[in-house]
Amino acid sequence: MTDGTTPRVVAVNRGTEQTTDAPPTGPGPRHRALDAWVGRWINQGHMIDEDGSPGATITTSDVYEWGPGGVFLVHSAYGRIGEFDVGGTEIIGYDETSGAYRSHFFDSQGNVTVSRLVADGDTWTYQGDTTRSTVEFSDGHRVQTVLHERTDDGTTYRPSMRVTLTKVT
């Protein structure tokens, strides 16, 4: 090409385009920070009742793995909350354009939750419209301790679930 552009895939859903942008060099350090999540986990805990006491038992199997290209995590979860079968699929990634981590969670009840993630050392915080979660990694990233909270008014949060995920592989 004489105009300095070359064809390449810029975004898979757009096909090939002419661009002067340099091709991506692969996952960067912000993507690699997500390595802490990769693996198979057993998730055990409980709901938190209105009075703050432990409620229904939660048991799930969670798998976090790299998607194609190694820039997004795919998280699948299957299990039970009390007597109910639950599950979902989450996509977690770092968006270079916005400079933020994002999570899109599609649950077995048909809900979609979009959250912003903030990493601070071994602590990750999810913030959605009506939920937030604080994830603390410990034991060399082999344990996740998680407090889930919810809000009905957008201001006041109350604990909804407390779980511990233990990496099995």
Side-chain angles (χ1 to χ4, degrees), residues 76-125:
S76 299
Y78 302 93
R80 295 181 66 80
I81 295 178
E83 62 187 59
F84 301 101
D85 291 331
V86 296
T89 301
E90 178 183 28
I91 307 295
I92 304 171
Y94 179 73
D95 179 22
E96 296 279 352
T97 304
S98 69
Y101 291 97
R102 296 267 187 250
S103 161
H104 293 78
F105 184 71
F106 306 86
D107 76 21
S108 58
Q109 307 305 306
N111 301 299
V112 178
T113 303
V114 178
S115 300
R116 183 171 188 268
L117 279 82
V118 175
D120 182 12
D122 286 337
T123 301
W124 290 71
T125 304

Side-chain angles (χ1 to χ4, degrees), residues 10 47 62 95 101 115 135 159:
V10 176
M47 298 294 298
D62 294 64
D95 179 22
Y101 291 97
S115 300
V135 179

